[in-house]
Amino acid sequence: MKVTIYDVAEKAGVSIATVSKVINNTGRISEKTRKKVQEVMTQLNYQPSMVASALTRKRTGTIGLLVPDIANPFFAEVARSFEDCAQKLGFGLVICSTDGKDEKANLYLSLLMRKQVDGLIIASYIKETALVEQMLKEKIPVVLFTIDIPTLGINSVSVDDYKGGFQATSYLLSLGHKHIGVIAEDISRSYHRVQGYKEAIIRAGMNLNESNIIYTTAAIENGKMVARQLLQRKEDRPTAIFACNDLLAIGAIEEARKLGINIPEELSIIGFDNTILAEIANPTLTSVSQPIKEMANQAMTVLLEEIENEQTSKQRTLMLPELVIRNSTAPI
Amino acid sequence: MKVTIYDVAEKAGVSIATVSKVINNTGRISEKTRKKVQEVMTQLNYQPSMVASALTRKRTGTIGLLVPDIANPFFAEVARSFEDCAQKLGFGLVICSTDGKDEKANLYLSLLMRKQVDGLIIASYIKETALVEQMLKEKIPVVLFTIDIPTLGINSVSVDDYKGGFQATSYLLSLGHKHIGVIAEDISRSYHRVQGYKEAIIRAGMNLNESNIIYTTAAIENGKMVARQLLQRKEDRPTAIFACNDLLAIGAIEEARKLGINIPEELSIIGFDNTILAEIANPTLTSVSQPIKEMANQAMTVLLEEIENEQTSKQRTLMLPELVIRNSTAPI
DNA sequence: ATGAAAGCGCTAACAG
DNA sequence: CTGTTAGCGCTTTCAT
């Protein structure tokens, strides 16, 4: 049988209340009994049950993380960062891949509520937010990560996508490119990146051609398809492509190669997220980097704040992106 | 206040026992009361507390997954596969990245014990197994994944690493390569892959040169370093390299490029794991593929078996690897 | 400084 | 078919 607080109490000749106090370092305990109890605890390999304590304290020591897909390198990195934060604080992280589907998200949300997670990080866009709102109503802290769901009015931390798109485009413009295609994602994250692109184009005094922006879903295959569309144009064929994430950019690289177009000599490509893929691609991919670790830290700090302090004012944190220049971009 | 079973019982005009029964579909309940109760539950948005039920049933509905690093694409895929299995069964998955360090593993192991996970998948090699043994003693089912810790004598599922190494090497030999270097990992996983390599060499009637096998730790940088050692040899410079995982193989590719060695014309490279990196590398990487999804399914099945049936006989499952041929290999 | 006792929300006999 | 009741292992007043 698993050893319980009773076993410890008995063997140490004290009450369970006393044991509880030394476990949690609460109340006043004489140095002598504390030592005695601790001794017995290690002797018995006692591991206090978090489920029992959760029942009374309303704290489970677990937080949930919703991502589109943990197998996507970007979110794998995100998960790792959160895991590290959580670990330091003694929390467990339960991972939930939604595949971007509300249905799956809801399944997970429900599971997380029943599990009574202490907090929730949402990094996967959700349309139908009823369950999230229910969690909010039950005072479960939630912070949005790399996404925004304005209707929720809750904490969020993201990179400044707008600025990222602006930087990427400006860099391409500075290289002399006049025709810059965009492979965008059909989600809000991408929206601001595209806005940044537009702003850069307009500020440069060039005329914006909406047909240069094509929307799709994050996947290498889709990057290829869209790149083909862009590159097979008879006129105004882009000399540079800004892809709203690395997966898409990689697809574009592969497609360009297939079409016999040299990168970066004939075509510059910029990605977003600066995942491990950017380093591995050939040529290595210039990409807009998000400070994932810092962002995760910030998100956790905010979450913890809410967990401890019940009510705090909501904040939206935007971190600065950074353009990492590699070999997929060159002057025209 | 969170709605509890009492609220439901009261509003439905029944006892909490009855509500419990309809929640769990146990005992016999008249269709009428069942309906009534269910009605009230949805009306109240009632979410049964898993922590309360865990306390009595000794089942938390969570399983732990120990991996070296969730940010490593291979383990990200592994995690995703387990997550899918777990999800279907209504379990939550808590992810633990050990970085291959016993210290971290132990921290997590302790957390998982306190959380009273229903089962544990270990995919990260552990030297000091005291805590794992304690879990075993407490009857917590454990299955090893892609590793083996013979002293533990518990269930495990892996790919047949030996065969994978054999296949990769045989393929290289069939291509006419006489000098095949190996970039190995300094962990058990790699050991069998190297054994397979040796067997293939010997069976081909060639003489085994131990100095062709160099051990290191999984990371692109290390792949580069070792590849350089191998490729800068004055004599017996390998015309092919078998890397014990894709990360290492990618490093080798990059180093070869830096040295001006053409792949696959002058040097063939084979990786292991067939991660997304293999598809993205340039040239695309020939790699030994592990049927991750099937392996995860099998591991979960075994784990579940143990969770349900207390005692079952231990088994070691070996799945067949498959060589995926891409563009990093060619006849000499 | 320590302990007794009342829960936390739910499950599982056992009665009825 | 439904309800009563005794825990599950721990935290937390409140006495002592």
Side-chain angles (χ1 to χ4, degrees):
Chain A
M1 224 34 258
K2 201 177 177 318
V3 16
T4 73
I5 199 171
Y6 288 95
D7 303 320
V8 177
E10 186 177 0
K11 184 150 186 185
V14 299
S15 74
I16 60 167
T18 303
V19 177
S20 174
K21 278 166 194 150
V22 354
I23 294 172
N24 301 295
N25 237 306
T26 57
R28 12 190 89 271
I29 300 289
S30 76
E31 203 41 51
K32 195 171 144 220
T33 41
R34 170 190 312 288
K35 256 205 158 152
K36 175 69 185 161
V37 170
Q38 277 167 337
E39 218 164 72
V40 174
M41 290 200 298
T42 69
Q43 210 175 110
L44 263 39
N45 279 321
Y46 172 63
Q47 305 270 18
S49 160
M50 293 186 82
V51 356
S53 94
L55 192 54
T56 59
R57 295 210 310 163
K58 271 88 194 63
R59 287 280 225 98
T60 54
T62 112
I63 83 146
L65 173 65
L66 245 57
V67 293
D69 181 7
I70 184 73
N72 172 323
F74 175 70
F75 292 107
E77 263 189 74
V78 167
R80 180 47 140 98
S81 304
F82 276 111
E83 200 208 299
D84 287 345
C85 296
Q87 213 263 12
K88 269 181 217 135
L89 302 165
F91 284 80
L93 222 215
V94 357
I95 301 274
C96 311
S97 293
T98 65
D99 286 322
K101 301 207 180 88
D102 275 15
E103 191 193 337
K104 275 201 151 195
N106 282 334
L107 245 34
Y108 271 122
L109 252 10
S110 157
L111 179 67
L112 295 175
M113 295 185 71
R114 279 175 287 140
K115 276 195 172 312
Q116 260 136 259
V117 293
D118 296 333
L120 175 64
I121 312 276
I122 303 185
S124 171
Y125 185 75
I126 294 176
K127 268 207 184 60
E128 184 208 305
T129 54
L131 283 187
V132 180
E133 283 166 48
Q134 192 183 339
M135 296 186 86
L136 258 18
K137 218 172 295 164
E138 289 178 17
K139 302 293 178 219
I140 300 171
V142 178
V143 4
L144 301 178
F145 191 77
T146 70
I147 60 168
D148 194 16
I149 307 182
T151 54
L152 254 27
I154 55 184
N155 292 313
S156 75
V157 3
S158 303
V159 81
D160 190 332
D161 290 304
Y162 176 87
K163 198 164 284 182
F166 185 85
Q167 275 178 24
T169 311
S170 298
Y171 178 63
L172 256 12
L173 289 168
S174 77
L175 255 22
H177 293 277
K178 306 278 188 238
H179 299 284
I180 305 176
V182 179
I183 308 182
E185 260 188 290
D186 43 14
I187 53 173
S188 65
R189 223 191 303 270
S190 222
Y191 174 78
H192 298 290
R193 296 177 190 175
V194 172
Q195 289 305 310
Y197 160 86
K198 291 182 179 175
E199 175 73 14
I201 294 287
I202 290 168
R203 278 217 213 161
M206 302 178 55
N207 57 328
L208 187 61
N209 181 350
E210 289 281 352
S211 76
N212 280 336
I213 305 169
I214 301 183
Y215 293 82
T216 186
T217 305
I220 293 180
E221 272 318 306
N222 293 330
K224 291 187 191 176
M225 271 176 34
V226 173
R228 175 159 37 213
Q229 284 178 48
L230 248 19
L231 297 173
Q232 285 184 335
R233 300 239 265 244
K234 293 304 174 202
E235 44 187 71
D236 286 357
R237 200 241 263 173
T239 60
I241 289 179
F242 167 41
C244 283
N245 64 237
D246 286 352
L247 246 26
L248 261 12
I250 299 270
I253 289 181
E254 293 185 2
E255 192 62 26
R257 177 158 31 242
K258 202 198 287 179
L259 296 173
I261 299 173
N262 288 323
I263 302 173
E265 295 78 6
E266 302 173 79
L267 177 69
S268 285
I269 296 184
I270 290 191
F272 208 114
D273 291 346
N274 190 35
T275 56
I276 187 175
L277 304 183
E279 299 171 44
I280 285 165
N282 179 255
T284 56
L285 182 66
T286 295
S287 187
V288 179
S289 165
Q290 307 195 38
I292 296 183
K293 278 200 177 43
E294 289 72 17
M295 288 165 63
N297 268 318
Q298 170 66 13
M300 263 307 224
T301 306
V302 172
L303 195 67
L304 213 67
E305 183 80 10
E306 288 225 331
I307 291 179
E308 320 262 56
N309 299 337
E310 280 289 307
Q311 226 41 333
T312 57
S313 61
K314 307 305 178 192
Q315 51 183 295
R316 171 152 185 74
T317 310
L318 282 190
M319 305 284 226
L320 284 189
E322 190 185 338
L323 186 64
V324 177
I325 297 172
R326 295 206 182 78
N327 302 319
S328 64
T329 44
I332 190 65
Chain B
M1 224 33 259
K2 202 176 176 321
V3 16
T4 74
I5 200 171
Y6 288 96
D7 303 320
V8 176
E10 185 177 1
K11 183 148 187 190
V14 297
S15 74
I16 60 166
T18 303
V19 177
S20 175
K21 279 166 194 150
V22 352
I23 292 172
N24 301 294
N25 238 304
T26 59
R28 11 192 88 274
I29 299 287
S30 76
E31 205 39 52
K32 195 171 145 221
T33 40
R34 169 188 314 287
K35 256 204 155 152
K36 175 67 184 165
V37 170
Q38 277 167 337
E39 217 164 72
V40 174
M41 291 199 301
T42 68
Q43 208 175 114
L44 261 39
N45 278 322
Y46 171 62
Q47 305 270 19
S49 161
M50 293 186 81
V51 358
S53 96
L55 193 55
T56 60
R57 294 210 311 160
K58 272 85 192 66
R59 288 278 228 96
T60 53
T62 112
I63 82 150
L65 173 64
L66 245 57
V67 293
D69 181 8
I70 184 73
N72 171 323
F74 176 70
F75 293 107
E77 262 189 73
V78 168
R80 180 48 141 97
S81 302
F82 277 111
E83 199 207 300
D84 287 344
C85 294
Q87 213 261 12
K88 270 180 214 134
L89 301 165
F91 284 79
L93 222 216
V94 359
I95 302 274
C96 311
S97 294
T98 65
D99 285 323
K101 303 207 179 88
D102 274 15
E103 191 195 336
K104 276 200 150 194
N106 283 334
L107 243 35
Y108 271 123
L109 252 11
S110 157
L111 179 67
L112 294 175
M113 295 184 72
R114 277 175 287 139
K115 275 193 172 314
Q116 260 137 261
V117 292
D118 296 333
L120 175 63
I121 312 276
I122 304 185
S124 172
Y125 185 74
I126 294 175
K127 266 208 186 58
E128 183 209 304
T129 54
L131 282 187
V132 181
E133 284 164 48
Q134 192 184 338
M135 295 186 87
L136 258 19
K137 216 172 297 163
E138 290 179 16
K139 302 292 180 218
I140 300 171
V142 177
V143 3
L144 301 179
F145 192 77
T146 70
I147 60 167
D148 193 16
I149 306 181
T151 54
L152 253 28
I154 56 182
N155 292 311
S156 75
V157 3
S158 302
V159 82
D160 191 333
D161 290 303
Y162 176 87
K163 197 162 284 182
F166 185 85
Q167 274 178 26
T169 311
S170 298
Y171 178 64
L172 255 14
L173 289 169
S174 78
L175 254 24
H177 293 278
K178 306 279 186 237
H179 299 283
I180 306 175
V182 179
I183 307 180
E185 260 187 290
D186 44 14
I187 54 172
S188 66
R189 222 192 304 271
S190 224
Y191 174 77
H192 298 288
R193 296 178 190 174
V194 172
Q195 289 306 308
Y197 160 86
K198 291 182 178 174
E199 174 74 12
I201 294 286
I202 290 169
R203 277 217 213 163
M206 302 179 53
N207 58 327
L208 187 60
N209 182 351
E210 290 282 353
S211 75
N212 280 336
I213 306 169
I214 300 182
Y215 293 82
T216 185
T217 304
I220 294 179
E221 272 318 308
N222 293 330
K224 290 187 192 177
M225 272 175 36
V226 173
R228 175 157 38 213
Q229 285 178 49
L230 249 17
L231 297 173
Q232 284 184 335
R233 301 238 263 245
K234 293 303 174 203
E235 42 189 72
D236 287 354
R237 200 241 260 173
T239 60
I241 290 180
F242 167 40
C244 282
N245 66 236
D246 286 353
L247 246 28
L248 261 13
I250 299 270
I253 289 180
E254 293 184 3
E255 191 62 26
R257 178 162 28 246
K258 202 198 286 179
L259 296 173
I261 299 173
N262 287 324
I263 302 174
E265 296 78 6
E266 302 172 79
L267 177 69
S268 285
I269 296 184
I270 290 191
F272 209 114
D273 292 346
N274 189 35
T275 57
I276 187 174
L277 305 183
E279 299 170 45
I280 284 166
N282 180 255
T284 56
L285 181 67
T286 295
S287 186
V288 179
S289 164
Q290 306 196 40
I292 296 183
K293 279 200 174 43
E294 289 72 15
M295 289 165 63
N297 268 317
Q298 169 66 12
M300 263 308 224
T301 305
V302 173
L303 195 68
L304 214 67
E305 184 81 9
E306 288 226 330
I307 293 179
E308 318 263 57
N309 298 336
E310 279 291 307
Q311 226 41 333
T312 57
S313 60
K314 307 305 179 191
Q315 51 184 293
R316 171 151 183 74
T317 310
L318 281 191
M319 304 284 226
L320 285 189
E322 191 185 338
L323 185 65
V324 177
I325 297 171
R326 296 204 181 78
N327 303 320
S328 64
T329 44
I332 189 63

